[in-house]
């Protein structure tokens, strides 16, 4: 039998070093180790350990409190494990192998999927979708059953509403009864279901007791609520949320809608106009065209998009910029190069029936394909490929050559929005591929594996048209869909297997008082708050999935001083500041075809929140272009985007023209 010593760990670890704190990977397989052989004090020194192999040993359970906070991969296959709930100490674990442990059941596997928030790979299979369904959908249904069971239980036990003392007295009996009576799922998962019911029932009773305590401390609760509102408002102010709207650009205040939500919805509903299908809108020539369209259809106001050039600091390529909770003075760079952009291509890539005279198809959205780093698949570095949508087609364009490399058409559809995400290959967590989600008039989200030009899935997301799509930068399978049915839905689209089979779960439904037009998670709280620019204003929701309520109302409304409150609309938003970047630009398109550029590195946080108008750094004028021998006048810019390094700028317009600028 081998004894675990510092010398053994150094010998089995890599890279080779004399300090346990520098080891990234250790192989302790096939050493006949027992659970009692693990020295907690010794293992707690492995602060940078990311991979641990203890397969082929004699472990009956995994030692608790080992202090391996950075562990990403654990191989404990071919042991004698009897339970694995102690693995919940490894909150950052992404890849786990528990194969060939005779005493482990399928319920044990489900427990570990529930307990480990970042687990993506289990026994060589991607379990992202299954784990999310387990954590959220399964928990919501069990919570509903526990609530219903409590109501029946109370009718039997009490003639009136029970007091806190009475609830405490029956707590143990209620939990025991719930475990015995509540049934859910297949018989093979009975043990797991009982384990979850016990947890949920206990939490439920504790919440009832807590509510009783809260009723006796209303003043303290109100104070906490005000702090929460002030905290979120402060975060958003310091995050410099850029808004595109018909409002004046003055500082905003946050208003809690929890207590007066009906009143707020009533007020906004008076301003709501009848939903107008984008397809039914006709292009009219004349000076009044732009103002009339924007008045009828606020989604046609100029869009705002902000891209930043990342610093050398290591970060996930899909991560939202980190925003400090406290206001950090913005430092002006010592050497600043002016961003010079020249027109490169003008494309009519969305013409109906390939008609070169089509100057009426409206283009709505554009977004650069994310770059896949450290990919084993050649040719997937794609920062100069941009996706555009409008009419019945979606195009992937190479910005350098102007060539449409891929085109997807759907007869009868009119695409309004798109969003990219990067998913792991089903049987290889280290390999990645990009997926493009598109949606429009039919209310259906289509998932496209662009590299192979294959639409592998469709999600009937809404009964009305989809107005906006947004992928979570933290959870690659989480997709928010906004619609003209005045809802925002959070979906888990899962990871497709090798045959493109995938599982979709609906996690949350957010109620909106008007059509959502643009969404963004708060960078400092990506698991807690979602913001949306809507026809009726700017709103925030609590999206934390630890709350079992699958339907949420507006948590907060952001009020802006406006000249004409009846025409107060928020069309777009973007978080601007990121104190870790080298370049930081904001681009806005207008109704004349011009692009307004703001260099945010030259603007302090105090200036951003002062309420004073910030002049543009420069304006890219609509160039003189001709189509079929006729001059095309400046037209409404519906969306603007740049690649992460600002090498290319792309705008889509109201007249079937994609404009590409290149940095010189």
């Amino acid at each position: 039998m081998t004894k675990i010593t510092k010398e053994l760990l150094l010998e089995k670890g890599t890279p080779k070093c004399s300090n346990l704190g520098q080891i990234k990977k250790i192989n302790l397989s096939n050493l006949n180790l027992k659970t009692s052989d693990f020295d907690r004090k010794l293992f707690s020194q492995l602060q940078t350990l990311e991979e641990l192999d203890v397969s082929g040993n004699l472990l009956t359970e995994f030692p608790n409190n080992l202090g391996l906070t950075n562990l990403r991969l654990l191989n404990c296959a071919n042991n004698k494990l009897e339970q694995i709930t102690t693995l919940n100490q490894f909150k950052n674990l992404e890849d786990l192998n528990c194969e060939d442990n005779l005493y482990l059941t399928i319920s044990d596997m489900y427990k570990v999927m529930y307990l480990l928030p970042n687990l993506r790979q289990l026994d060589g299979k991607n379990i992202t979708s299954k784990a999310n369904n387990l954590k959220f959908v399964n928990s919501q249904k069990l919570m509903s059953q526990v609530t219903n069971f409590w109501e029946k239980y109370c009718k039997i036990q009490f003639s009136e509403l029970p007091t806190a003392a009475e609830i405490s007295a029956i707590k143990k009996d209620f939990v025991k009864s719930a475990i015995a009576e509540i049934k859910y799922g297949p018989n093979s998962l009975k043990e797991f279901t009982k384990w979850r019911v016990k947890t949920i029932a206990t939490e439920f009773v504790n919440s009832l007791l807590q509510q009783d305590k809260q009723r006796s401390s209303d003043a303290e609760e109100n104070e906490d609520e005000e702090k929460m509102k002030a905290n979120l408002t402060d975060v958003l102010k310091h995050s410099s949320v850029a808004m595109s709207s018909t409002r004046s650009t003055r500082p905003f205040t946050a208003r809690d809608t929890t207590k007066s939500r009906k009143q707020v919805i009533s007020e906004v509903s008076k301003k709501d106009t009848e939903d107008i299908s984008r397809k039914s809108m006709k292009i009219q020539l004349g000076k009044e065209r732009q103002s009339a369209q924007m008045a009828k259809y606020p989604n046609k106001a100029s869009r705002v998009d902000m891209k930043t050039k990342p610093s050398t600091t290591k970060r996930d390529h899909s991560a939202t910029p980190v925003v400090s909770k406290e206001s950090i003075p913005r430092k002006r760079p010592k050497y600043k190069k002016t961003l010079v952009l020249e027109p490169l291509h003008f494309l009519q890539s969305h013409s109906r029936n390939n008609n070169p005279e089509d100057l009426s198809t409206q283009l709505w959205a554009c977004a650069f394909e994310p770059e896949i780093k450290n990919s084993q698949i050649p040719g997937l570095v794609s920062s100069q490929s941009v996706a555009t949508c409008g009419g019945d087609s979606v195009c992937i364009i190479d910005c350098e050559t102007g060539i449409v490399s891929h085109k997807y058409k759907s007869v009868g559809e009119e695409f309004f929005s798109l969003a990219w995400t990067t998913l792991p290959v089903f049987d290889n967590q280290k390999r990645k591929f990009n997926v493009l989600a598109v949606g429009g008039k039919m209310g259906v989200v289509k998932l496209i594996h662009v590299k192979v030009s294959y639409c592998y899935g469709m999600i009937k997301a809404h009964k009305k048209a989809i107005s906006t799509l947004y992928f979570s930068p933290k959870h690659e399978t989480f997709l928010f869909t906004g619609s003209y049915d005045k809802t925002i839905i959070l979906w888990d689209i899962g990871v497709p297997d090798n045959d493109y089979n995938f599982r979709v779960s609906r996690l949350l439904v957010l109620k909106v008082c008007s059509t959502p037009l643009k969404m963004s998670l708060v960078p400092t709280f990506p698991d807690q708050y979602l913001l949306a620019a809507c026809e009726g204003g700017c709103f925030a929701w609590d999206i934390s999935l630890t709350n079992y309520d699958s339907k949420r109302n507006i948590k907060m409304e952001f009020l802006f001083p406006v000249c004409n409150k009846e025409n107060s609309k928020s069309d777009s938003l973007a978080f601007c500041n990121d104190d870790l970047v080298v370049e930081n630009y904001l681009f806005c398109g207008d109704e004349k075809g011009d692009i307004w550029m703001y260099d945010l590195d030259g603007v302090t946080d105090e200036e951003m929140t002062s309420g004073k108008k910030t002049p543009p750094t420069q304006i890219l004028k609509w160039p003189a272009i001709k189509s079929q021998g006729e001059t095309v006048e400046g037209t409404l810019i519906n969306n603007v985007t740049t690649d992460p390094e600002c090498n290319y700028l792309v705008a889509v317009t109201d007249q079937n023209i994609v404009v590409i600028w290149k940095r010189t």
Side-chain angles (χ1 to χ4, degrees):
M1 184 178 297
T2 305
K3 184 178 180 180
I4 299 179
T5 62
K6 178 179 179 181
E7 290 71 26
L8 178 66
L9 294 178
L10 292 173
E11 177 189 345
K12 298 290 186 179
T14 56
K16 297 302 180 183
C17 56
S18 59
N19 187 350
L20 292 178
Q22 297 176 343
I23 294 178
K24 299 286 186 182
K25 181 178 179 180
I26 293 180
N27 188 344
L28 297 177
S29 62
N30 302 310
L31 296 177
N32 291 323
L33 297 175
K34 294 183 178 180
T35 302
S36 58
D37 293 328
F38 284 73
D39 187 336
R40 292 179 175 83
K41 292 183 179 179
L42 197 59
F43 273 83
S44 65
Q45 299 178 43
L46 299 167
Q47 293 299 310
T48 61
L49 187 68
E50 296 181 356
E51 299 184 18
L52 176 61
D53 187 348
V54 291
S55 60
N57 286 295
L58 305 172
L59 303 181
T60 56
E61 64 177 351
F62 213 85
N64 212 342
N65 301 320
L66 289 182
L68 304 178
T69 56
N70 289 311
L71 194 65
R72 301 288 190 276
L73 184 151
L74 175 61
N75 185 356
C76 52
N78 192 21
N79 275 274
K80 296 184 179 181
L81 294 174
E82 298 173 358
Q83 62 90 15
I84 50 177
T85 55
T86 54
L87 295 182
N88 67 346
Q89 63 185 295
F90 307 127
K91 297 300 184 183
N92 291 316
L93 198 64
E94 299 173 356
D95 193 333
L96 174 64
N97 189 345
C98 296
E99 290 180 310
D100 299 324
N101 280 276
L102 182 62
Y103 303 112
L104 293 182
T105 67
I106 187 173
S107 289
D108 290 309
M109 298 298 103
Y110 272 64
K111 287 179 183 179
V112 80
M113 280 192 285
Y114 179 82
L115 291 171
L116 297 176
N118 293 311
L119 192 65
R120 298 290 182 268
Q121 203 89 352
L122 179 60
D123 295 343
K125 298 179 181 179
N126 189 290
I127 49 88
T128 304
S129 179
K130 183 183 290 186
N132 287 333
N133 185 76
L134 190 69
K135 295 171 187 174
F136 310 128
V137 178
N138 178 281
S139 295
Q140 289 169 2
K141 291 181 178 179
L142 286 178
M143 182 61 186
S144 177
Q145 290 200 39
V146 169
T147 304
N148 293 335
F149 183 74
W150 170 258
E151 293 177 356
K152 296 178 182 178
Y153 188 86
C154 283
K155 288 182 180 179
I156 298 174
Q157 298 290 331
F158 309 104
S159 57
E160 299 179 355
L161 284 176
T163 63
E166 290 173 331
I167 293 175
S168 296
I170 65 166
K171 177 179 177 180
K172 289 184 179 180
D173 185 64
F174 167 73
V175 173
K176 184 178 179 180
S177 299
I179 294 172
E181 296 295 332
I182 294 178
K183 312 294 182 183
Y184 180 77
N187 193 56
S188 59
L189 293 177
K190 182 188 296 185
E191 182 189 346
F192 170 76
T193 300
K194 290 181 179 295
W195 178 74
R196 286 294 295 130
V197 168
K198 179 180 180 181
T199 303
I200 294 174
T202 302
E203 292 175 351
F204 177 77
V205 176
N206 289 339
S207 69
L208 295 178
L209 295 173
Q210 185 64 29
Q211 289 174 12
D212 186 73
K213 292 181 180 179
Q214 288 178 344
R215 282 192 290 268
S216 63
S217 57
D218 287 339
E220 183 178 349
E221 179 184 6
N222 292 335
E223 183 180 347
D224 291 340
E225 184 73 16
E226 291 300 321
K227 288 181 180 179
M228 185 277 293
K229 291 191 295 180
N231 178 50
L232 181 55
T233 304
D234 187 57
V235 168
L236 295 175
K237 284 185 177 181
H238 293 158
S239 299
S240 302
V241 185
M243 301 295 301
S244 172
S245 65
T246 55
R247 307 165 184 258
S248 59
T249 54
R250 298 179 184 176
F252 58 84
T253 57
R255 181 176 71 186
D256 185 8
T257 64
T258 303
K259 297 183 180 180
S260 58
R261 190 173 298 114
K262 292 183 179 179
Q263 180 182 356
V264 172
I265 294 177
S266 175
E267 291 174 355
V268 177
S269 64
K270 294 178 182 178
K271 298 181 287 182
D272 285 349
T273 57
E274 183 179 355
D275 288 341
I276 300 175
S277 170
R278 299 191 201 199
K279 185 174 182 180
S280 66
M281 296 185 62
K282 304 296 182 182
I283 301 297
Q284 300 176 356
L285 300 177
K287 295 182 179 179
E288 293 80 12
R289 179 174 67 90
Q290 303 296 348
S291 59
Q293 285 178 344
M294 285 197 293
K296 287 184 178 181
Y297 199 63
N299 198 28
K300 292 177 59 53
S302 58
R303 298 298 186 94
V304 181
D305 193 12
M306 185 276 293
K307 298 290 183 181
T308 56
K309 182 175 181 180
S311 69
T312 56
T313 305
K314 183 179 179 181
R315 66 171 72 178
D316 189 317
H317 69 279
S318 64
T320 302
V322 178
V323 182
S324 303
K325 294 182 181 179
E326 299 178 355
S327 178
I328 302 177
R330 188 180 303 279
K331 296 181 179 179
R332 298 176 185 265
K334 186 175 182 181
Y335 302 103
K336 182 67 179 178
K337 294 182 179 180
T338 303
L339 184 63
V340 180
L341 296 162
E342 295 292 339
L344 182 62
H345 299 293
F346 304 89
L347 308 173
Q348 288 178 266
S349 54
H350 293 263
S351 300
R352 295 188 185 275
N353 301 319
N354 296 320
N355 181 6
E357 297 181 358
D358 181 4
L359 290 176
S360 61
T361 296
Q362 297 164 291
L363 310 185
W364 296 106
C366 55
F368 273 86
E369 184 175 5
E371 178 180 344
I372 299 180
K373 299 180 180 179
N374 302 321
S375 175
Q376 300 176 12
I377 307 175
L380 280 184
V381 176
S382 49
S383 61
Q384 69 180 38
S385 295
V386 68
T388 60
C389 73
D392 62 359
S393 62
V394 178
C395 295
I396 310 298
I397 303 170
D398 185 305
C399 289
E400 182 61 33
T401 64
I403 295 175
V404 178
S405 57
H406 302 277
K407 188 170 185 177
Y408 175 80
K409 298 191 71 173
S410 180
V411 178
E413 178 65 278
E414 185 166 4
F415 292 109
F416 297 151
S417 186
L418 52 78
W420 288 98
T421 190
T422 302
L423 299 179
V425 174
F426 182 74
D427 56 356
N428 189 334
Q429 192 73 14
K430 294 183 179 180
R431 297 177 62 191
K432 309 284 185 180
F433 69 101
N434 286 330
V435 170
L436 180 66
V438 294
K441 181 185 69 175
M442 294 183 177
V444 176
V445 175
K446 301 188 177 183
L447 303 174
I448 304 173
H449 185 184
V450 173
K451 277 298 172 182
V452 296
S453 300
Y454 181 56
C455 177
Y456 71 85
M458 293 187 291
I459 305 170
K460 181 57 180 176
H462 297 271
K463 293 181 179 180
K464 292 188 178 181
I466 292 173
S467 56
T468 182
L469 298 172
Y470 177 75
F471 273 106
S472 166
K474 186 173 180 181
H475 303 283
E476 66 271 16
T477 63
F478 282 13
L479 173 64
F480 291 90
T481 62
S483 170
Y484 286 90
D485 61 14
K486 299 180 183 179
T487 64
I488 295 172
I489 299 179
L490 171 58
W491 305 87
D492 177 10
I493 66 168
V495 176
D497 62 19
N498 296 330
D499 295 322
Y500 288 103
N501 299 311
F502 67 103
R503 180 176 182 174
V504 177
S505 299
R506 191 177 73 174
L507 304 182
L508 282 179
V509 178
L510 309 178
K511 298 179 181 179
V512 193
C513 54
S514 58
T515 303
L517 303 175
K518 191 76 172 181
M519 298 178 285
S520 180
L521 294 171
V522 178
T524 46
F525 300 99
D527 288 328
Q528 188 168 1
Y529 296 113
L530 176 78
L531 265 67
C534 307
E535 287 183 348
C538 181
F539 305 96
W541 291 263
D542 181 353
I543 60 164
S544 55
L545 292 173
T546 53
N547 184 340
Y548 295 128
D549 186 6
S550 61
K551 295 184 179 181
R552 312 281 175 88
N553 291 311
I554 295 170
K555 182 67 176 177
M556 197 172 293
E557 178 184 7
F558 295 89
L559 302 179
F560 299 81
V562 293
C563 298
N564 185 353
K565 196 165 183 66
E566 291 300 317
N567 293 324
S568 174
K569 300 183 178 80
S570 296
D571 179 75
S572 191
L573 60 83
F575 284 87
C576 298
N577 66 322
D578 179 355
D579 295 299
L580 301 178
V581 300
V582 178
E583 294 178 336
N584 202 0
Y585 293 100
L586 177 70
F587 297 93
C588 308
D590 67 12
E591 74 282 357
K592 299 178 181 178
D594 298 339
I595 306 293
W596 295 50
M597 187 180 81
Y598 298 83
D599 180 359
L600 301 182
D601 281 332
V603 182
T604 65
D605 288 329
E606 290 76 13
E607 291 172 328
M608 280 189 176
T609 57
S610 66
K612 298 180 181 178
K613 290 185 177 180
T614 301
T617 306
Q618 60 176 297
I619 299 177
L620 303 176
K621 291 292 184 179
W622 177 263
I625 61 175
K626 291 187 177 182
S627 177
Q628 301 296 308
E630 296 184 2
T631 301
V632 179
E633 300 294 338
T635 180
L636 180 66
I637 302 292
N638 283 327
N639 200 200
V640 182
T641 189
T642 71
D643 67 291
E645 295 184 352
C646 291
N647 289 324
Y648 300 96
L649 183 145
V650 177
V652 293
T653 71
D654 224 28
Q655 292 188 333
N656 188 30
I657 297 176
V658 179
V659 187
I660 302 175
W661 282 265
K662 183 179 180 180
R663 186 173 188 170
T664 61

